Amino acid sequence: MDRALLPPQLRSQLKGLRLRPRLAPGNRGVGLHPSRNRGAGLEFSQYRAYEPGDDLRQVDWKLYARSDRFFVREAERESPLTLWLLIDASASMRQADPARPDWQRLDAARVLAAAIAELALAQGDRFGLIELRETGPQHLPASTGVRQRDRLWLRLQALRAEGELPGDAQLEPIWGRVQRGDLAVILSDGFDPRLIALAERLAAAGRELIFLQLLTAAERDFPFHSGHRFRDPETGAEIRGDGRALRAGYLERFGQMLAALDARLDAAGIARARHVLDEPLLQPLRQLFGHAAWA
Amino acid sequence: MGLSLLLPAALAALAALALPLAIHLARRTTLREVDFAALRWLRPASHPQRRLRFERWPLLLLRLALLALLALWLAQPVWRATRERPVVAVMPGVHAATIARLELPGNADLRWLADGFPALESPMPASPQPITSLLRQLDAELAPATALTVLATAAFDGADAQRPQLSREVDWRVMDDPPPAHSPPAAAAAPVLVLQAGTDPGASAVLRAVARAWRADADTPRFDASHPPDPADHLLAWLDPAAPPTVVLDWVRAGGVLLLDASVAKPAADAWRPAWSDAEGRSLLELAALGRGRMARFSRPLHAERMPELFEADFPRALLAALQPAAPAPTRAVASQYRPRQVATTHIPPGRELRPWLGLLIALLFALERLVAARGWQRSAA
């Protein structure tokens, strides 16, 4: 790992932030997150004596053969929350600001994803990664632990933004990964309506969704004054024009789009935050996972 | 009259001004390309924003100025001092009292028509002056618009053989002042031939005959070193093969004319040149200057078989013409008959050449242009 994905300063600021799914019903268990299974997990925890009412499937029959007693394999209770980080890897994520050309949208997405995974790791939650690449979604299976974090960082650092978003048919496997009740954080510029539609459908199907929109300062301010050839990195379409002449119309339409997007996300019950590349990274995290968000 | 161009057609080079204009317009069309992901919210301006707009005004102006100066440089600009004051040129011999009586323009620039055109306050220059030549010089040196008045004496020396042709209308006023003293060149009298006979009596006889042909009363005295003859009207013929002594050469340097026989070795002189040739172009007589005087030397012996021209009836006169300098042409003219004519002229009045300064300015501008261009390039690259 050539450099730490998460700046130490940001990592220290993560204290006090919590992943708290809003959809969680409050009547299940006493853990940090409500449980939805009955304690049968993947990782062995201990044996305990059979009690009437235990599922016969959980009786360890080999141990019974050796000891002539019924023991029940008890697994560590699975963490009820699974976090999925969905990162848009289309070419538009390569966009950077003229003032800071080496800080792409994808770089911000990487750091934010690492920060959110850090939160999950601190809480013992499982976290996985889904890269929305042109060739189809690539996923890192959800798990927890420091090694999972290393795997995640490796994947994040190898991630490159190219091409367009995968088609709807290719997005189908996401439904199998992101289970009902899981928390999914989408990191994208939010320019592709298909991704918004996917988020809406996931939210409607009982998934907990967070949409973290990443914008460049140029998209917010449109600081172009002379003639330019504006090129869409995904489609290659071009618009020529004088920055001053285009500015007013662009800012108006862009503002309308953001307002419409906010309204859609709100209507779908999707938590949202917006990060502009020249702003501090902590701000959207605090907005999503800080004390104010718990209320 | 200030600035004028010797080659105004070179201003056609101003057409090159279109070059930087085109460059700066064309550079505008090559727009800077930027990636912009939010392209779908960008609409091209509804009315096409196709105003002609130049990029980088200071650089463009510099380049235009540079090219304009180059065109000007090609056009050979000259600066002429503005002299609008009418000029009154006064021939030497016109009295100050006469001038005072005349009605002349109040701001007139009064000058003697003499070498260097001294102001009238300076003493009257000596006459005669080469009047026609001076008139032409004055006409050429003055700006075309300057009026010229000439106050002429009734008659004057220094005229050409024809009326002067000047580029302007000259106010030619003939004063009735007496013309300066006139001494027409006297017709040169035939000289007395002083003969230093040599070993060849034939040659001496020929020269004595020549002397008699020149002057009927001629006798041919011998050269007497203690009483050298007057160089003005004596001619020394030296037939003695022995080189002429120093005293003779000194006499020549004082203005005498020495005629040498072919048997005499050529004394040292700057350059001997043929002065008289026969019908076939072979030299008969060679001349060389020595001091104020001259030496002549027959190219061949004075014998009829070597020099058949001796038989010619006009041999003495032709010999005299070859020996004596040509009489000056008459240069006296009556002023009332000598009014200059105005002719259309293609003469270009002189002026101070501005090219070196312009070249310096162009070099400076070029350096500045490179500086500005490089700085702009750095800024766009950064």
Side-chain angles (χ1 to χ4, degrees):
Chain A
M1 233 169 279
D2 49 352
R3 62 174 175 156
L5 202 49
L6 200 55
Q9 191 191 354
L10 182 61
R11 185 201 294 273
S12 69
Q13 287 169 331
L14 291 179
K15 287 174 187 149
L17 302 188
R18 290 271 170 79
L19 294 182
R20 282 181 62 99
R22 291 180 303 166
L23 295 181
N27 56 356
R28 282 200 259 164
V30 292
L32 187 57
H33 301 298
S35 170
R36 68 178 173 84
N37 64 24
R38 291 167 300 205
L42 295 173
E43 300 209 11
F44 171 76
S45 167
Q46 62 175 355
Y47 289 112
R48 67 167 168 79
Y50 174 80
E51 290 173 8
D54 279 341
D55 194 347
L56 288 183
R57 284 184 299 170
Q58 290 181 325
V59 174
D60 191 327
W61 293 108
K62 288 180 180 169
L63 192 60
Y64 167 71
R66 290 202 297 272
S67 63
D68 204 18
R69 289 188 149 180
F70 293 110
F71 283 96
V72 173
R73 282 176 66 98
E74 195 160 68
E76 191 173 306
R77 209 183 66 166
E78 201 168 70
S79 172
L81 180 68
T82 305
L83 167 71
W84 289 99
L85 295 161
L86 275 74
I87 295 191
D88 177 1
S90 63
S92 65
M93 291 296 282
R94 222 165 40 212
Q95 180 84 50
D97 271 324
R100 194 179 170 189
D102 59 342
W103 182 247
Q104 300 177 353
R105 221 197 299 268
L106 188 64
D107 294 320
R110 281 190 189 112
V111 178
L112 286 173
I116 297 170
E118 199 70 17
L119 293 181
L121 178 68
Q123 297 175 191
D125 289 336
R126 291 152 28 93
F127 52 93
L129 174 71
I130 299 178
E131 304 164 354
L132 301 174
R133 304 205 317 220
E134 186 174 28
T135 50
Q138 306 288 315
H139 75 278
L140 173 70
S143 176
T144 189
V146 176
R147 294 195 59 187
Q148 171 71 358
R149 178 180 68 182
D150 289 347
R151 285 191 288 270
L152 175 77
W153 284 23
L154 215 54
R155 292 289 289 264
L156 284 175
Q157 283 183 323
L159 188 57
R160 296 286 173 269
E162 288 162 332
E164 299 186 44
L165 276 182
D168 283 336
Q170 287 175 302
L171 289 174
E172 209 55 46
I174 293 178
W175 292 88
R177 296 279 163 208
V178 184
Q179 300 283 325
R180 205 179 158 76
D182 283 358
L183 173 64
V185 179
I186 300 179
L187 294 136
S188 168
D189 51 25
F191 292 165
D192 197 328
R194 286 183 302 150
L195 193 57
I196 313 291
L198 175 71
E200 281 176 336
R201 289 206 305 277
L202 283 171
R207 274 76 169 169
E208 167 89 32
L209 258 285
I210 291 178
F211 198 91
L212 184 42
Q213 189 179 23
L214 303 162
L215 297 180
T216 65
E219 284 157 359
R220 179 192 58 191
D221 302 333
F222 204 71
F224 303 104
H225 293 298
S226 53
H228 283 87
R229 238 168 53 207
F230 299 100
R231 201 172 67 84
D232 190 332
E234 287 187 27
T235 62
E238 277 188 5
I239 287 180
R240 296 158 180 245
D242 187 77
R244 270 171 290 220
L246 298 175
R247 186 166 192 269
Y250 164 77
L251 286 182
E252 187 191 347
R253 279 186 291 274
F254 194 65
Q256 285 169 358
M257 181 277 286
L258 292 182
L261 178 64
D262 288 353
R264 272 179 79 177
L265 295 178
D266 287 348
I270 300 174
R272 58 178 167 80
R274 185 164 295 143
H275 170 65
V276 184
L277 293 192
D278 61 350
E279 289 172 355
L281 283 165
L282 186 66
Q283 189 186 322
L285 299 176
R286 190 168 273 165
Q287 184 186 341
L288 289 170
F289 309 119
H291 290 275
W294 300 354
Chain B
M1 64 182 276
L3 189 73
S4 55
L5 305 174
L6 296 188
L7 194 58
L11 288 186
L14 283 176
L17 288 183
L19 222 62
L21 290 178
I23 288 174
H24 280 244
L25 269 183
R27 279 195 54 115
R28 175 163 155 57
T29 56
T30 60
L31 300 172
R32 219 172 327 147
E33 187 177 303
V34 288
D35 274 356
F36 197 70
L39 194 76
R40 68 194 74 180
W41 293 280
L42 210 54
R43 299 271 181 283
S46 53
H47 55 93
Q49 192 98 2
R50 193 56 193 171
R51 255 182 320 136
L52 282 187
R53 218 163 58 78
F54 293 103
E55 297 274 300
R56 303 181 66 185
W57 272 105
L59 185 62
L60 176 62
L61 287 181
L62 262 180
R63 285 174 171 168
L64 287 179
L66 185 62
L67 279 181
L69 281 183
L70 271 174
L72 195 61
W73 188 84
L74 286 177
Q76 302 192 17
V78 288
W79 180 265
R80 298 208 176 86
T82 51
R83 186 199 264 180
E84 299 299 340
R85 294 172 65 191
V87 173
V88 176
V90 181
M91 279 190 200
V94 177
H95 292 293
T98 319
I99 300 168
R101 280 204 309 276
L102 289 173
E103 276 187 32
L104 292 172
N107 59 346
D109 186 13
L110 294 162
R111 296 193 169 267
W112 286 114
L113 193 56
D115 189 23
F117 304 108
L120 199 64
E121 291 77 37
S122 54
M124 183 188 294
S127 61
Q129 293 281 346
I131 295 294
T132 313
S133 169
L134 288 169
L135 274 178
R136 278 196 296 266
Q137 183 188 350
L138 192 59
D139 180 51
E141 287 181 357
L142 290 183
T146 310
L148 175 61
T149 304
V150 177
L151 306 183
T153 52
F156 57 89
D157 289 314
D160 276 359
Q162 63 167 354
R163 283 168 62 191
Q165 301 187 338
L166 303 183
S167 68
R168 74 194 69 223
E169 183 69 47
V170 175
D171 184 6
W172 183 261
R173 301 195 199 175
V174 181
M175 305 292 108
D176 48 7
D177 284 352
H182 175 55
S183 55
V192 173
L193 190 71
V194 180
L195 188 64
Q196 178 74 27
T199 54
D200 183 4
S204 302
V206 165
L207 284 183
R208 280 197 196 92
V210 165
R212 267 195 298 279
W214 287 348
R215 296 172 71 124
D217 59 338
D219 66 337
T220 49
R222 285 186 67 85
F223 182 75
D224 182 359
S226 55
H227 295 97
D230 180 11
D233 57 350
H234 284 78
L235 194 149
L236 176 56
W238 194 272
L239 304 184
D240 195 343
T246 316
V247 61
V248 170
L249 294 180
D250 287 342
W251 177 80
V252 171
R253 285 195 187 91
V257 179
L258 175 65
L259 181 62
L260 298 168
D261 187 54
S263 59
V264 184
K266 281 182 186 176
D270 284 343
W272 287 89
R273 58 182 175 83
W276 185 19
S277 302
D278 63 11
E280 295 167 19
R282 289 175 300 180
S283 169
L284 291 174
L285 192 71
E286 287 174 300
L287 265 181
L290 184 67
R292 287 193 286 128
R294 289 173 299 159
M295 295 184 294
R297 179 175 174 274
F298 287 109
S299 305
R300 298 176 228 164
L302 285 173
H303 284 289
E305 62 267 31
R306 297 295 308 278
M307 196 187 283
E309 287 76 10
L310 291 178
F311 289 126
E312 301 280 344
D314 65 346
F315 177 79
R317 195 192 50 75
L319 178 60
L320 188 62
L323 288 175
Q324 279 188 330
T331 60
R332 193 163 182 84
V334 178
S336 57
Q337 303 293 317
Y338 204 67
R339 184 179 301 276
R341 282 183 298 180
Q342 184 181 14
V343 294
T345 175
T346 54
H347 162 70
I348 297 163
R352 179 188 291 194
E353 188 74 45
L354 287 183
R355 268 189 155 183
W357 298 105
L358 211 53
L360 202 64
L361 192 60
I362 287 170
L364 273 177
L365 263 185
F366 182 67
L368 193 63
E369 188 265 346
R370 283 293 88 201
L371 195 73
V372 172
R375 178 174 297 175
W377 184 80
Q378 281 170 0
R379 196 180 330 154
S380 68

